[in-house]
Amino acid sequence: MSMLCTLTDVKTMLGITDDTQDAKLTLIIKGVSAQIEGYLGYTLGMADYTEEVHNVNNRQLMQLNHFPLRSVSSVTLNDAEINDYKIIEEYARWGLLYRGNGWGGRVYTQTFEHDVVGGAFDYSVCYKAGYYLPGDTGYTEGASDSLPYDIYSACLALVCQKYTADVNGAIGIKSHSEGGISDTYGDVSTEIGLTDSIKKTLAKYVWYGVA
């Protein structure tokens, strides 16, 4: 399971110096990381993938399911190796693999006019995609293949909010009055999810799919 920020940094932000809260904080980090990945629409960790892809009617861009695309170890069409593809950074960011000759192959048709209704899953692609996450051996803050710092910061901020809300017992409470003493809390009921400011930070990483 992804962890988009480190336990050490969370504890530093919260001023925690012992390990009594480590288990709880780790669960919160995992939960927030999953929440962020769900909002973005894809997993962020670096991994190797093998997937079968259908032909895309000779279009030059093949859509893969994980990104950013880092490297490709093999592409085959019906077990025949293909090497004339190219990784172009602006397309690889969203998992698109370029081939000048286009990605063609078998198609399925229907009606007497033989209208094309889909492609056969004849391509097999082995590739590496994602970001090195904090704690990974390959992680280097600021490196292009490492988790962007604004995503890291968004996770860190939300983890601290959730933990503080849990400790204060203030989830969903906006105000409290008793015996002439009145306390007002922030709107933790909304802050417990992705706030507007965090969504704004993450906006440029959201995956909207393809038409």
Side-chain angles (χ1 to χ4, degrees), residues 1-2 20 34-35 43 46 63 67-68 119 125 135 148 151 185 196 211:
M1 180 176 291
S2 299
T20 58
Q35 191 174 8
T43 57
M46 187 78 74
Q63 178 68 63
F67 34 86
V125 186
I151 298 179
Y185 301 93
D196 288 340

Side-chain angles (χ1 to χ4, degrees), residues 2 9 13 15 21 43 50 56 62 79 89 94 108 134 136 150 152 162 168 175 184 192 201:
S2 299
D9 282 353
M13 291 291 291
Q21 299 299 306
T43 57
T50 298
V56 285
M62 174 188 286
D79 298 324
E89 184 176 357
W94 296 110
Y108 298 108
D136 290 347
D150 43 3
Y152 181 94
K162 283 180 175 287
N168 291 337
S175 63
T184 301
I192 212 68
T201 297

